[in-house]
Amino acid sequence: MTDRLRFIWPPILIGVLVLAAWQAIVVVQDIQPYLLPAPSLIAQNFFGDVSLMWGTAIYTATTAFLGLVLGTIVGVIMAFLAQRFIVVNNLITPLAAGLAAVPIIALTPILNNMFSITSRTPRVLVTMIIVFFPMLVNVTRGLVQVQPVQLELMRSMNAKPRTVLRILRVPNAIPFFFTGLKIAAPLSVIAALVAEYFGGPQEGLGSRIASSAANTAYGRAWAYVVAAIITGLVFYLVTIALERWTTPWADRSRSA
Amino acid sequence: MTDATQTAVLAEGVWKIFNEGQLGEVTALQDIDMTVQTGEFVSLIGPSGCGKSTLLRVIADLTEATRGEMTVAGVTPHEARQKQLYGMAFQQAALFEWRTVRRNVELPLELMGWSKDKRRERALELLEMVQLSDFAEHRPWQLSGGMQQRVAIARSLAVDPPLLLMDEPFGALDEMTRERMQNELLRIRRETGKSIVFVTHSIPEAVYLSDRVVVMSPRPGRITDIVPVPLGADRDEDTRESDDFFHAVTAVREALRGRVGGAEARARIGEV
Ligand SMILES: Nc1ncnc2c1ncn2[C@@H]1O[C@H](COP(=O)(O)OP(=O)(O)O)[C@@H](O)[C@H]1O
Ligand SMILES: [Mg+2]
């Protein structure tokens, strides 16, 4: 417990110091809110209507979560196919790399035209495509990169390819899955939020940040940014908790 | 012709040529004739790259001979693998880190469809044999290198195969641990009566463990000599310091240097 406290205190202390310095600079230098609002102003907006913050964050988090789940499912399925069929692998890898190079978010306005104006679907689709790539790459790696000696061992024990998949490849891929998920989870929040900048329903953190800034409500815009940071952090921390719970054997690398 | 049923391994004119007729053609094994009697301990020794692992892999049906006949416990290597007539251990312990020590030992039994209770019982029995009972529920990475290798040996014994194939299993261990492991292996062999084919590049290790040492030449891998080791069945730390041990080590060393027969040293170990 004291160990944990030792880890937690320094970042908190630094955070408080930075906030204090920030507040002092804004007050002393009389910096205008559109340049940099004081922490006190942001806090005032944030705690002024917590339920609004919560509801707005929930909308974006829901988009992110749906995109994350769907993108993960598709990525994992594709990874299994890529592992099983070299043809699929040769087809998917350049395709996935190509997709990763396209600024997917820029497609949002086009997708928006395909669905009704109140629809969340275009945002979920964009998030899903963005999540798909790190999941595919990492899970494929985990399924393929098993120690050659472990494969020889499985063969010496007369294991069929399906058994090798179940006994060796899938468990081997689980830490890789979480490596992918740790990238994909915060990314899904960013994707869902940025997708809101490109039209569609005026809901969610992205839409509100944009509209608050347009209405010169800078304190409020920043309060939404804080909510967005918290949302991303929650996604990341939940992923880490899930990882610790499902892969206790990886404790070695964590305690080291 | 040797009677196949009496032999654990019988190789007749075995060749292994990788990429035959292609650009990177490598003759890894050339005309190998070798017999391992049932219950015998035979080491393969030779410089690295001479085809020791390849020979072991042909026996295990992990790769196919290009030419020649290989018989394992009276059947083809393929049949021997399907019937699990051999167990295998490698230089790396190759344990699955997501499984406990006990469940690693259970793996071959699981693949053969044993029930959970029987698996568990057998694994605990084997862990007792390799003196790791206290570590059954540990994770592999919580064990030292020597302990991990003992788990791998226990796993190779799980289905109680008549033959053990070991590819430099102690190659990554320090000298002390290595000698302890050699004693353990001799004890296990006495207790179980397995036939063992053991790859090593350590001369003292080959001599200490084996009934016969098969000496191989650098590429293309041929058997240049087979040195008998008349040290008897009961070997212990004193054996390592005996004259007979020293003479056998010299005989193997001479054979490795290409002195055909190593005649002088052999005379001393009372062959000829
Ligand atoms: N799959 C392979 N393809 C091509 N050459 C190989 C292959 N496996 C082994 N070799 C070659 O065969 C020779 C014998 O290798 P190996 O049996 O591993 O030697 P050792 O175990 O005695 O060190 C080496 O020259 C090696 O490069
Ligand atoms: Mg080798």
Side-chain angles (χ1 to χ4, degrees):
Chain A
M1 209 57 219
T2 45
D3 258 14
R4 198 164 284 182
L5 283 180
R6 220 176 315 161
F7 273 113
I8 288 173
W9 275 115
I12 289 184
L13 194 68
I14 288 175
V16 169
L17 286 176
V18 166
L19 284 178
W22 177 353
Q23 180 79 27
I25 290 171
V26 170
V27 171
V28 172
Q29 299 282 320
D30 194 23
I31 295 175
Q32 293 307 301
Y34 67 88
L35 284 177
L36 187 66
S40 58
L41 181 65
I42 298 170
Q44 205 180 317
N45 276 282
F46 187 88
F47 294 107
D49 197 342
V50 176
S51 67
L52 178 68
M53 289 290 151
W54 172 256
T56 312
I58 284 293
Y59 176 89
T60 303
T62 305
T63 310
F65 182 75
L66 290 173
L68 183 61
V69 170
L70 291 173
T72 299
I73 290 172
V74 176
V76 168
I77 289 173
M78 290 300 209
F80 273 86
L81 291 174
Q83 184 278 136
R84 182 69 185 80
F85 307 104
I86 292 169
V87 191
V88 179
N89 192 12
N90 293 341
L91 208 76
I92 286 181
T93 313
L95 199 77
L99 264 182
V102 174
I104 301 295
I105 293 202
L107 289 178
T108 318
I110 300 167
L111 288 172
N112 274 335
N113 288 338
M114 296 174 167
F115 296 88
S116 86
I117 189 74
T118 56
S119 171
R120 188 203 292 273
T121 313
R123 294 169 180 177
V124 173
L125 279 176
V126 164
T127 308
M128 175 181 150
I129 294 169
I130 284 174
V131 162
F132 159 79
F133 184 66
M135 294 314 294
L136 168 69
V137 170
N138 281 285
V139 176
T140 305
R141 196 173 284 162
L143 291 172
V144 173
Q145 284 182 5
V146 293
Q147 288 178 31
V149 66
Q150 293 180 331
L151 280 178
E152 293 245 288
L153 178 79
M154 290 300 283
R155 192 175 144 84
S156 81
M157 294 186 300
N158 199 29
K160 310 270 172 294
R162 281 187 57 165
T163 315
V164 175
L165 186 66
R166 179 169 56 86
I167 300 273
L168 176 55
R169 293 189 192 276
V170 169
N172 189 68
I174 292 175
F176 290 80
F177 171 85
F178 279 108
T179 303
L181 202 59
K182 275 186 281 187
I183 300 168
L187 201 58
S188 71
V189 176
I190 296 172
L193 183 145
V194 175
E196 292 169 10
Y197 290 159
F198 295 87
Q202 282 300 298
E203 276 181 275
L205 295 166
S207 309
R208 298 289 166 80
I209 291 169
S211 61
S212 303
N215 293 327
T216 70
Y218 300 106
R220 166 147 299 197
W222 278 78
Y224 284 123
V225 171
V226 169
I229 292 170
I230 294 171
T231 309
L233 217 55
V234 167
F235 270 60
Y236 184 68
L237 292 176
V238 169
T239 308
I240 286 186
L242 215 61
E243 180 185 31
R244 295 203 168 193
W245 181 57
T246 47
T247 57
W249 68 83
D251 267 348
R252 171 191 40 172
S253 48
R254 282 185 215 120
S255 58
Chain B
M1 278 291 280
T2 322
D3 179 8
T5 53
Q6 287 300 312
T7 57
V9 179
L10 176 60
E12 290 175 305
V14 167
W15 290 67
K16 178 67 193 185
I17 304 168
F18 290 106
N19 309 320
E20 191 172 21
Q22 293 168 36
L23 196 61
E25 182 177 298
V26 178
T27 304
L29 297 175
Q30 180 181 329
D31 199 21
I32 300 290
D33 291 316
M34 183 180 75
T35 310
V36 178
Q37 301 296 336
T38 300
E40 196 179 19
F41 196 125
V42 171
S43 286
L44 306 178
I45 197 167
S48 104
C50 75
K52 305 181 294 290
S53 296
T54 303
L55 181 51
L56 210 65
R57 294 178 78 250
V58 172
I59 298 172
D61 187 41
L62 298 178
T63 185
E64 226 176 314
T66 310
R67 279 191 276 288
E69 285 296 322
M70 178 69 79
T71 312
V72 179
V75 298
T76 64
H78 184 67
E79 229 180 307
R81 180 166 66 87
Q82 289 194 316
K83 289 183 177 167
Q84 289 290 282
L85 297 180
Y86 69 80
M88 207 161 181
F90 305 86
Q91 179 167 352
Q92 296 142 284
L95 302 177
F96 295 176
E97 61 174 7
W98 50 88
R99 287 174 170 248
T100 61
V101 165
R102 172 175 59 78
R103 293 205 58 233
N104 266 284
V105 176
E106 285 180 14
L107 181 60
L109 306 172
E110 197 177 318
L111 296 183
M112 288 189 90
W114 284 39
S115 76
K116 218 169 172 174
D117 290 345
K118 280 184 129 183
R119 273 188 341 234
R120 187 193 178 88
E121 192 185 321
R122 173 76 179 142
L124 292 177
E125 193 181 302
L126 286 158
L127 285 173
E128 198 179 323
M129 179 190 282
V130 297
Q131 292 161 4
L132 286 175
S133 297
D134 294 345
F135 295 88
E137 303 307 321
H138 281 57
R139 299 276 167 181
W141 43 267
Q142 294 173 310
L143 273 55
S144 71
M147 289 156 91
Q148 290 186 17
Q149 208 48 258
R150 267 144 71 192
V151 177
I153 291 172
R155 180 182 60 194
S156 73
L157 290 165
V159 301
D160 201 19
L163 175 65
L164 284 190
L165 304 174
M166 312 184 92
D167 194 347
E168 302 189 34
F170 309 146
L173 305 178
D174 64 82
E175 196 61 29
M176 305 297 198
T177 311
R178 195 170 178 147
E179 293 195 349
R180 245 198 349 264
M181 295 291 292
Q182 291 164 4
N183 290 331
E184 292 250 323
L185 183 58
L186 284 181
R187 177 178 59 76
I188 289 168
R189 184 206 171 194
R190 273 196 301 274
E191 285 173 18
T192 60
K194 305 286 179 207
S195 317
I196 301 177
V197 183
F198 188 97
V199 170
T200 178
H201 50 231
S202 156
I203 300 173
E205 180 168 86
V207 169
Y208 186 63
L209 294 173
S210 317
D211 299 316
R212 286 188 300 149
V213 179
V214 171
V215 179
M216 295 177 69
S217 71
R219 250 186 329 185
R222 281 169 295 120
I223 294 180
T224 53
D225 212 338
I226 298 179
V227 180
V229 183
L231 291 175
D234 293 317
R235 306 179 186 190
D236 53 28
E237 287 303 323
D238 292 335
T239 311
R240 294 184 200 272
E241 289 159 14
S242 70
D243 284 348
D244 284 346
F245 182 79
F246 177 74
H247 292 144
V249 165
T250 309
V252 173
R253 183 165 287 134
E254 303 244 299
L256 274 168
R257 281 171 59 194
R259 299 242 177 119
V260 180
E264 228 178 294
R266 270 196 186 195
R268 264 182 260 128
I269 59 175
E271 219 213 343
V272 181

